[in-house]
Amino acid sequence: MEPLLVVLLSSGVLLALFVRQYLAGRHLRKIRGPESPSWLMGHTSVVNAQFEVGALEREWMKEYGLIWRLKTCFNEDTLQIADPKALQYIFHKSGYHFQKGAVARQFTREITGPGILFAQDQDHARIRKIMNPAFTASQLRSFLPLFRHSAQKLAQKWKEQLLTGTDAATQRINVSAWLARCTLDVIGEVGFDVQCGALDDSLNPVMHAYKNMFSDAIPFPSKPTLLFRHLWRYIPMPILSFVQYVPSKEHIRFRSTLKVINKFAKDLINEKTEAVLAGKNENKRDMMSILVKANASENPKSRLTDSEMISQMATFLLAGHETTANSMTWMLYELARHPDFQNKMREEVRAIRARVAERGDSDFTVSDLDAMTHVLAGMKEVLRLHPIVYGLIREASRDDVIPLSTPVTTTTGEVVDEIPIPKGTACQISVWAYNRLPSIWGPDADEFNPNRWIEHEKMGQTYVGVTSNLMTFSAGLQACIGWRFSIIEMQVILVELIEQFEFKIPDDNPTIISFPAGLTVPLVKEDMKAGPQMPLMVSLVQ
Ligand code: HEM
């Protein structure tokens, strides 16, 4: 091609981009926000260089209110949102009109295949309908003994370690690593009827591939990587799928992981499908068996394709283990920091244990677990204070108007209680900031205070989320389908551990950072290179 033609064409494309950006941004320019440090990178580099979840949001919210504007690459605008009414509108009232961002969709497609985390609109609704039977209340109740099995195994491992150690009374244990192994075993058994062997140190290859997928994520992406990812939103999804072949560390890891799971899942699904066809899977209660059964009885047109089916398995592994393990890790950390509450929780578990024994039972039922007010309050408080998914990205698929519960002042001094946005506006939802709003949770919103859940069960005027007015599990049509699963799992693990062990902060008092690695990951500030860790002093309860 003639060089002049190339220059003309490139200039034309750039000009079109600028005009589009100017027109699209004319409403958003009125929204206040921090000055952009660079035309090329906007705030993207600053945000990605953060060491602590929420550190920047805290400052920006103080200055600009519950909705503010940031710049991303190439001087494009993005809205940062923590306003409850805006969240309610985006997640609960707009159907599928706020779609997931291209980067999130592409990454989940690379890690899990074309499953529910990637799907949109009717495809998403179709997959979700077939998944629902695996998450009903009765189904979850039937998982209780399996949750308990892994929880008891974890407790047994710790006991062995404590009794054989040089100082038998107390040991420093990295609880986050152990909890991740425990939840991986749970998802293997409950999800697929497969023994993963994580707590036994004999990890099966599939589970190995997904182990620590989030925590191993490469932190601090380079500027070229950030610029490249920014452009993904302009690339049609079928073409974007070729990004997986970029020879970078992350894409290589994703590809090799998906290859391992594809082979394993195909065999497992074939086995389960044969059992369904032969009427032999009636007693199988694992989630994958339920899914295969639900899919077989679905109208052939809406059935999951083979690759969608395989993807569900990867989805359970990705979405269902590190999330719960990390939440449990923060739980034990807060208990170690608040010994009085830890004791109260233990007394409550003992009292209900005595009631269970009186009625001649040996184990807690779901109702017993739900009667443990302090255990539940502690868990809700941890889910609020340490949301594992600290932010969500959505993109408006039409021109829209976002209502606000707290009006903001624009750059022209006008006070507005709604914001018109053009189609394509990127919205970054700060789950972390919403979960700490003093207007909802009170003036001590930054503190661990489980009593707030005992004193006032419902908080806030504008209800969002799937439970307890929290955004931790997201909200609306694409909210976490596994939230009840993970709450029961956490209840079971917590009760097992709190009855038998006491948790304390080590004497050297390591500084724990909640590091933003896609999921909130605990790191020790003095030893960040060691990766995720939460060292606690663990001893047997006297
Ligand atoms: C504390 C534990 C957990 C937290 C905090 C959590 C959080 C979330 C969040 C925030 C989303 C929405 C993501 C988005 O919109 O981009 C989500 C989606 C999802 N989660 Fe969870 N999750 C947890 C545990 C689980 C478990 C145990 C499972 C399965 C066994 C699970 C399965 C899923 C699935 C399948 C989706 C996609 C739902 C859809 O698109 O319709 N999650 N989770």
Side-chain angles (χ1 to χ4, degrees):
M1 202 187 290
E2 289 291 321
L4 182 64
L5 195 59
V6 174
V7 171
L8 281 176
L9 270 178
S10 322
S11 315
V13 170
L14 274 178
L15 188 68
L17 264 177
F18 282 130
V19 172
R20 181 180 179 281
Q21 196 181 311
Y22 180 80
L23 292 175
R26 66 191 187 282
H27 292 300
L28 301 186
R29 266 191 290 279
K30 281 195 196 162
I31 308 304
R32 293 188 312 140
E35 201 166 310
S36 175
S38 129
W39 183 90
L40 188 64
M41 299 306 298
H43 296 93
T44 312
S45 300
V46 192
V47 168
N48 277 280
Q50 272 187 108
F51 277 96
E52 186 91 38
V53 171
L56 288 170
E57 276 129 299
R58 185 191 297 281
E59 297 307 314
W60 287 334
M61 252 200 323
K62 242 190 251 163
E63 183 78 30
Y64 306 109
L66 306 189
I67 191 159
W68 65 99
R69 182 176 48 82
L70 283 190
K71 290 287 181 187
T72 55
C73 300
F74 307 111
N75 205 36
E76 288 193 27
D77 291 303
T78 168
L79 276 183
Q80 304 284 304
I81 307 176
D83 183 284
K85 201 166 171 183
L87 299 189
Q88 190 187 58
Y89 179 75
I90 291 171
F91 288 92
H92 292 285
K93 297 190 172 168
S94 301
Y96 285 113
H97 286 298
F98 285 85
Q99 306 276 8
K100 287 183 187 170
V103 175
R105 288 190 72 214
Q106 173 57 21
F107 274 142
T108 47
R109 174 164 61 176
E110 282 187 48
I111 308 171
T112 65
I116 191 162
L117 288 165
F118 170 76
Q120 299 201 126
D121 303 321
Q122 292 320 307
D123 266 343
H124 177 267
R126 178 176 59 84
I127 300 177
R128 181 119 182 169
K129 179 172 169 249
I130 295 171
M131 285 179 86
N132 276 335
F135 292 91
T136 60
S138 68
Q139 195 56 51
L140 295 178
R141 265 199 302 277
S142 77
F143 295 153
L144 209 59
L146 303 180
F147 293 153
R148 195 172 290 128
H149 176 231
S150 293
Q152 285 172 345
K153 199 162 176 181
L154 170 63
Q156 186 56 34
K157 293 280 172 190
W158 282 0
K159 259 196 237 165
E160 282 164 17
Q161 192 168 328
L162 286 172
L163 295 175
T164 54
T166 42
D167 173 6
T170 306
Q171 279 201 27
R172 186 181 178 115
I173 292 182
N174 175 11
V175 297
S176 66
W178 279 101
L179 289 163
R181 291 159 80 172
C182 179
T183 55
L184 197 53
D185 277 354
V186 167
I187 208 75
E189 204 170 356
V190 175
F192 325 115
D193 194 18
V194 166
Q195 296 299 320
C196 303
L199 282 169
D200 286 327
D201 261 340
S202 55
L203 205 55
N204 114 6
V206 177
M207 311 304 159
H208 194 267
Y210 271 83
K211 194 177 147 216
N212 297 340
M213 176 63 92
F214 277 107
S215 0
D216 288 352
I218 300 102
F220 309 129
S222 65
K223 280 183 185 172
T225 305
L226 291 170
L227 286 168
F228 177 51
R229 282 188 199 159
H230 180 83
L231 294 174
W232 290 7
R233 59 193 297 230
Y234 298 110
I235 303 175
M237 270 295 158
I239 297 174
L240 193 57
S241 71
F242 291 103
V243 161
Q244 63 177 303
Y245 299 108
V246 170
S248 71
K249 203 171 158 191
E250 59 196 345
H251 294 290
I252 291 169
R253 162 138 202 211
F254 295 161
R255 268 211 323 274
S256 66
T257 303
L258 198 59
K259 213 161 137 191
V260 176
I261 188 117
N262 275 349
K263 160 91 188 70
F264 181 80
K266 251 184 219 155
D267 295 345
L268 192 93
I269 290 164
N270 285 344
E271 196 185 292
K272 289 186 186 295
T273 309
E274 276 169 28
V276 168
L277 294 176
K280 282 193 201 150
N281 98 327
E282 290 311 313
N283 299 324
K284 290 281 181 198
R285 311 278 303 166
D286 62 278
M287 294 158 95
M288 214 59 200
S289 293
I290 298 163
L291 213 68
V292 168
K293 204 165 157 200
N295 200 34
S297 55
E298 190 59 36
N299 167 348
K301 275 195 193 149
S302 351
R303 270 185 206 155
L304 302 190
T305 61
D306 285 353
S307 52
E308 283 171 341
M309 200 68 184
I310 290 168
S311 169
Q312 298 323 311
M313 186 160 170
T315 304
F316 288 148
L317 276 172
L318 180 78
H321 105 263
E322 271 189 87
T323 44
T324 309
N326 276 348
S327 300
M328 272 301 302
T329 299
W330 290 108
M331 181 80 245
L332 297 188
Y333 171 66
E334 291 296 355
L335 290 182
R337 292 180 64 216
H338 299 89
D340 288 349
F341 186 74
Q342 185 181 155
N343 286 336
K344 219 180 253 177
M345 205 186 242
R346 193 170 293 114
E347 280 162 23
E348 178 181 73
V349 175
R350 283 183 180 154
I352 298 199
R353 170 74 73 197
R355 234 165 56 191
V356 169
E358 257 170 46
R359 59 167 204 252
D361 287 342
S362 57
D363 282 320
F364 298 120
T365 60
V366 170
S367 314
D368 294 324
L369 294 172
D370 286 345
M372 297 177 190
T373 327
H374 288 84
V375 173
L376 263 179
M379 275 175 37
K380 284 182 189 172
E381 187 64 349
V382 163
L383 289 167
R384 180 187 75 79
L385 212 52
H386 302 283
I388 297 309
V389 182
Y390 48 85
L392 296 162
I393 297 185
R394 292 291 186 268
E395 208 172 286
S397 65
R398 60 177 183 191
D399 292 347
D400 216 323
V401 179
I402 299 184
L404 303 177
S405 50
T406 309
V408 288
T409 307
T410 65
T411 47
T412 55
E414 204 185 338
V415 177
V416 295
D417 61 4
E418 55 180 35
I419 296 178
I421 56 161
K423 179 179 169 176
T425 300
C427 303
Q428 300 197 356
I429 315 303
S430 179
V431 172
W432 179 92
Y434 165 81
N435 275 4
R436 286 174 181 237
L437 288 182
S439 55
I440 295 185
W441 312 102
D444 63 348
D446 278 331
E447 305 293 319
F448 176 80
N449 172 17
N451 286 332
R452 78 179 83 243
W453 296 101
I454 298 169
E455 286 153 16
H456 328 270
E457 173 49 23
K458 272 200 173 164
M459 272 161 274
Q461 306 287 312
T462 310
Y463 206 83
V464 298
V466 289
T467 181
S468 311
N469 205 9
L470 293 168
M471 272 302 288
T472 309
F473 295 103
S474 184
L477 297 177
Q478 299 184 73
C480 178
I481 199 172
W483 71 271
R484 273 198 206 88
F485 178 113
S486 98
I487 287 195
I488 302 179
E489 181 183 3
M490 285 194 278
Q491 281 172 304
V492 171
I493 300 176
L494 185 55
V495 163
E496 192 66 40
L497 297 182
I498 204 75
E499 259 193 309
Q500 305 194 47
F501 304 100
E502 205 170 318
F503 301 94
K504 286 195 181 130
I505 298 291
D507 285 343
D508 58 351
N509 200 6
T511 316
I512 303 295
I513 298 178
S514 40
F515 184 75
L519 288 189
T520 307
V521 170
L523 296 184
V524 170
K525 192 175 179 186
E526 297 80 13
D527 187 18
M528 286 181 42
K529 284 212 174 93
Q533 53 169 327
M534 178 66 81
L536 293 181
M537 298 313 289
V538 182
S539 54
L540 284 171
V541 168
Q542 297 306 313

